[in-house]
Amino acid sequence: RAEIVVKGGTTIDGNYKVEWADINGNSLTNFKNTSNPFTTILYNAIDGKYIVKITDDNQPLAKGENVASCMVLDTITIIQPEELVVKIEKLQYISCKGDSDGKLCAKASGGIIIPDKKYIYEWYKEDNGRFNALNQQDSILVDVGTGRYRVKITDHNNISKESETYLLSEPEPLSLEVMATELNCNLGDNGTASVEVTGGTAPYSIEWSNGGLESKIMNLSEGRYFVSVTDANGCHAQAKVDVVGPNPIIITNENNKNPTCLGSKDGCI
């Protein structure tokens, strides 16, 4: 599309004679003229160079060098913009299962950018098989949970392009399984406790109530131990485990018999 505003010269009714042609001189008809101010518009045009000739009412009467002063002959170049392209990229992961702190970014290029904002952004999220509009119009979509998302961008020429669907996933729940070994003897200190971590986002930070920082702690006496685990995204989980020992040895039903006489050997315990 090309638009030319024409001023000057001599006209009776404010109109000019306009002729459009391609670079090879073939006449074109895909143009229109408007007034106030007089404007000639070439539409549905592809990449290339075009020739426009505009004359006023005095041009047919002019002779010699005066002809040029009543006519404008110019070459117009139309450059097609790059194809409008948009895709979604993950800007921030969802931290923990069930959170809504994810961020997505629309990476767009091509078309004709809008001053100060580049493009108009429209975000959508799938719900029951249907994509519904979200109330965010920036290139970055914030505070979102797991789901399927799309974004549509529109450029200065009102040309739109929609992205492919993007699946924003979330981590599995942070889960702890704790185990303990029994003491060999009552009041012993050879017990152990261990934790197995699944889900969340590795690596994990482990802290036991006795100060241990590994998945397994040793040389434990009888008692209850707590473990706290934090994953790479700051998600927390806690668990407890009891280290137990056997019951103490107790003598019951004590029955003593003293010797019958001095020197006798018939006593018993």
Side-chain angles (χ1 to χ4, degrees):
R1 177 186 173 104
E3 294 186 14
I4 299 176
V5 177
V6 185
K7 297 179 180 179
T10 302
T11 64
I12 297 175
D13 54 6
N15 293 318
Y16 301 84
K17 181 182 178 182
V18 178
E19 298 174 68
W20 283 92
D22 62 23
I23 195 63
N24 297 316
N26 300 311
S27 297
L28 302 176
T29 58
N30 54 316
F31 70 93
K32 63 180 179 179
N33 301 323
T34 62
S35 55
N36 297 321
F38 184 90
T39 305
T40 181
I41 304 170
L42 179 68
Y43 55 89
N44 294 338
I46 62 174
D47 262 5
K49 294 184 177 182
Y50 298 88
I51 301 170
V52 60
K53 179 181 179 182
I54 304 172
T55 56
D56 68 4
D57 289 340
N58 284 345
Q59 193 270 343
L61 305 177
K63 296 180 180 180
E65 296 179 355
N66 293 329
V67 173
S69 63
C70 300
M71 177 184 67
V72 173
L73 187 65
D74 201 359
T75 300
I76 306 297
T77 301
I78 293 179
I79 301 175
Q80 181 176 319
E82 295 293 326
E83 180 184 3
L84 198 57
V85 176
V86 61
K87 66 178 181 177
I88 297 176
E89 293 183 358
K90 184 186 299 181
L91 201 61
Q92 179 175 301
Y93 293 90
I94 296 174
S95 299
C96 308
K97 178 75 172 181
D99 282 356
S100 295
D101 60 353
K103 292 183 181 180
L104 298 177
C105 179
K107 293 288 188 179
S109 62
I112 303 297
I113 64 173
I114 302 171
D116 301 326
K117 61 189 305 183
K118 290 191 174 181
Y119 305 99
I120 296 173
Y121 299 89
E122 299 173 77
W123 288 93
Y124 300 86
K125 182 181 181 181
E126 186 181 34
D127 184 15
N128 293 324
R130 180 177 179 179
F131 281 87
N132 299 319
L134 301 175
N135 189 28
Q136 294 193 44
Q137 287 84 39
D138 193 77
S139 60
I140 297 176
L141 182 67
V142 300
D143 299 330
V144 291
T146 184
R148 292 162 58 85
Y149 295 87
R150 289 179 184 171
V151 64
K152 184 173 76 172
I153 62 170
T154 304
D155 72 357
H156 190 64
N157 285 342
N158 204 34
I159 305 298
S160 296
K161 180 73 173 183
E162 190 172 275
S163 72
E164 293 184 357
T165 300
Y166 185 93
L167 173 61
L168 178 62
S169 59
E170 63 181 0
E172 292 298 318
L174 188 61
S175 178
L176 309 182
E177 182 180 354
V178 289
M179 297 154 285
T181 59
E182 186 175 307
L183 303 177
N184 289 339
C185 302
N186 183 257
L187 301 180
D189 61 356
N190 66 326
T192 67
S194 59
V195 60
E196 182 178 332
V197 186
T198 57
T201 305
Y204 308 106
S205 174
I206 301 173
E207 184 175 358
W208 290 89
S209 54
N210 71 336
L213 301 177
E214 302 295 333
S215 61
K216 184 176 183 179
I217 51 177
M218 306 174 67
N219 301 323
L220 305 178
S221 57
E222 187 170 4
R224 175 165 291 180
Y225 296 85
F226 296 87
V227 63
S228 176
V229 176
T230 304
D231 74 358
N233 289 341
C235 306
H236 299 279
Q238 291 182 323
K240 61 184 178 181
V241 64
D242 292 324
V243 175
V244 298
N247 292 326
I249 298 174
I250 300 175
I251 298 175
T252 61
N253 298 322
E254 181 178 339
N255 186 11
N256 299 332
K257 180 183 177 183
N258 295 322
T260 305
C261 299
L262 180 64
S264 297
K265 297 181 180 180
D266 59 351
C268 65
I269 300 177

